[in-house]
Amino acid sequence: MEHAIADLGVQVEKKRDDLDEFFDEFINSKPIFNDKSVLQSNYNPDKIQHREDYIKDIAKILAPALRKERPSNLFIYGKTGTGKTTCINHVLNKISNIAHTREIPLEVISINCKLKKVADTEYRIILEILKQLGREMPSTGISTNELYKELYDAIEQKKRTVLLVLDEIDSLIKKAGDEILYNLTRINPELKQAEISIVGITNDLTVMDTVDARVKSSLNEEELVFLPYNAVQIQDILGDRAIMAFHSEVLDEEVIPRCSAYAAREHGDARRALELLRFAGEIAEREGSDKVLPGHIDTADKKTERNRIIDVIKSQPKQFQLVNYAIIKTSMKEKHNLVTSKKTQIIEPTTTGAVYDYYNKVAKELGIVTLSLRRISDIIIELEVLGLINFKIVSKGRYGRTRFISVGLPKTLYKEVLDILREDLSIS
DNA sequence: CGAGATTCATGTGAAGTATACCTTTAGGCTTAA
DNA sequence: AAGCCTAAAGGTATACTTCACATGAATCTCGTA
């Protein structure tokens, strides 16, 4: 007995030593970051590299606002991480500063349509615009028409030029259709003392094909396409930010080239490159390493994709998670190899019906309300929009028509995602 | 044997329902004169 | 009488359901070569 206690004592003491050591090490190790915020995606740099021409273009288009004239509507296309938002913000900041100091009446409203809580329906967008105009409105209880009237009124009362920036407008169009755009473009003729210009930003070039031709032509008064950065440019950007973000001599010289190589591999996504660099730094910090090594970039690369997917999955409502779970489960099949008689798991597309059956079964077991097939069909489409799954509609002739649904995850994540879903849904 | 009809499984649009919020209104109660 | 609180009534958006019809190629049917 005594012996045991003594043993325990030793163990505790030893553990404390370990911890102490760890903390000592942590404190003594040179800090990696100087200013991490520089690498955050919402950071607005003073100078934007390799985008000077675009910035000038945007400035030219929006400049009339400073003369109390209505700038043309502007549409900006470009893949993620090509600097669209950064450039626009940069120009807008400048413009509103000038407007402010010279007392030119100008109002800038900027909305990111992708932030889900903010806005994913027509109603909520208008609500958000009104909020930024300084008019809080109830989240329900008023008809959309009423809301539009309020919007006219609010803008009219401002008696100034209003620049309305809709970032990631594609996700809005996908979810709520083009009616908002149509209505917004038609506000102008009704305004007497104010004017509104719309700046739309989108990653998805194809979405605009689906909108009404009239809307399209009136929005595309001016159009700008952002081309992706190449590896060299990304390297420049990273280098620039790294100087501010990290303490000197912390980065292994291989790190930045490798980081930009990873990002360029996709399509020149600068945001991703920065994220990767920051994450690698954090990993190095956590490991207590006093240098960021290329290996850290590799780890970060693997983990960022994973984190993104897991975030998306975790933030889904229960029903969506269940459907997702059913899709993954039904797309995994066991195959007996006749020669070796071993079981191997293979992954092949499922169908709506199979998913629905499985969904029903599990939902009943869990005591969750089961939704109709119609609704599940819509949920499947929404999961596709989120990029978690892919599907195509296939007609199997005599055997009907269905979606062939496949899971859009890297194979290595299947197990983990399943575990997460199981946990969230408390499936044993 | 081939053209046209049939069939299956589910896609898809429209309309209806339940629910969650929100404002307005009508009492009902309190309070101050 | 005026003020204030509360509950009921009347709106709306959203998520979901129900109903009805649309799809499209494998399969079937049947007339014809």
Side-chain angles (χ1 to χ4, degrees), chain A residues 310-359:
Chain A
I310 288 172
D311 278 354
V312 173
I313 288 177
K314 276 200 163 180
S315 61
Q316 295 299 304
K318 283 267 178 301
Q319 294 287 358
F320 282 57
Q321 289 184 336
L322 226 184
V323 175
N324 203 350
Y325 182 76
I327 291 171
I328 298 176
K329 270 296 200 176
T330 50
S331 66
M332 295 198 315
K333 309 224 166 72
E334 285 193 341
K335 199 176 191 181
H336 293 269
N337 188 321
L338 294 176
V339 184
T340 58
S341 77
K342 271 185 185 170
K343 282 186 218 167
T344 38
Q345 248 180 13
I346 56 161
I347 289 161
E348 54 185 32
T350 11
T351 62
T352 309
V355 170
Y356 190 60
D357 286 347
Y358 195 89
Y359 159 86

Side-chain angles (χ1 to χ4, degrees), chain A residues 203-261:
Chain A
N203 308 319
D204 188 342
L205 302 139
T206 60
V207 163
M208 284 310 282
D209 297 340
T210 65
V211 309
D212 190 295
R214 281 168 299 175
V215 178
K216 211 162 141 188
S217 68
S218 89
L219 276 179
N220 282 23
E221 287 174 355
E222 296 284 350
E223 179 177 311
L224 226 52
V225 177
F226 275 57
L227 299 174
Y229 296 103
N230 61 37
V232 180
Q233 292 171 330
I234 290 194
Q235 208 159 322
D236 283 347
I237 296 168
L238 284 180
D240 218 39
R241 302 264 191 116
I243 291 172
M244 292 184 278
F246 293 98
H247 285 291
S248 52
E249 312 262 316
V250 175
L251 287 187
D252 187 280
E253 52 183 42
E254 263 301 302
V255 165
I256 287 183
R258 166 135 359 163
C259 198
S260 34

Side-chain angles (χ1 to χ4, degrees), chain A residues 115-224:
Chain A
L115 298 178
K116 201 181 167 189
K117 320 135 214 169
V118 180
D120 59 353
T121 68
E122 178 178 13
Y123 189 90
R124 291 212 260 260
I125 287 282
I126 309 291
L127 209 63
E128 180 64 21
I129 297 175
L130 278 168
K131 196 171 149 198
Q132 293 208 15
L133 281 166
R135 293 203 184 189
E136 292 277 353
M137 299 293 287
S139 65
T140 163
I142 298 180
S143 76
T144 313
N145 262 337
E146 205 69 14
L147 216 56
Y148 271 111
K149 266 185 212 151
E150 190 71 21
L151 183 64
Y152 292 141
D153 195 50
I155 295 174
E156 191 76 275
Q157 286 219 337
K158 287 276 173 188
K159 295 184 185 172
R160 52 180 58 190
T161 310
V162 175
L163 277 179
L164 178 60
V165 181
L166 298 172
D167 202 348
E168 316 241 12
I169 205 173
D170 43 332
S171 66
L172 173 64
I173 295 173
K174 265 190 201 162
K175 283 201 169 153
D178 56 1
E179 209 159 312
I180 312 150
L181 295 181
Y182 182 68
N183 288 328
L184 284 177
T185 53
R186 292 195 354 158
I187 291 182
N188 243 325
E190 314 225 350
L191 296 172
K192 298 215 171 72
Q193 313 196 37
E195 284 169 321
I196 182 167
S197 296
I198 302 170
V199 179
I201 304 178
T202 169
N203 308 319
D204 188 342
L205 302 139
T206 60
V207 163
M208 284 310 282
D209 297 340
T210 65
V211 309
D212 190 295
R214 281 168 299 175
V215 178
K216 211 162 141 188
S217 68
S218 89
L219 276 179
N220 282 23
E221 287 174 355
E222 296 284 350
E223 179 177 311
L224 226 52

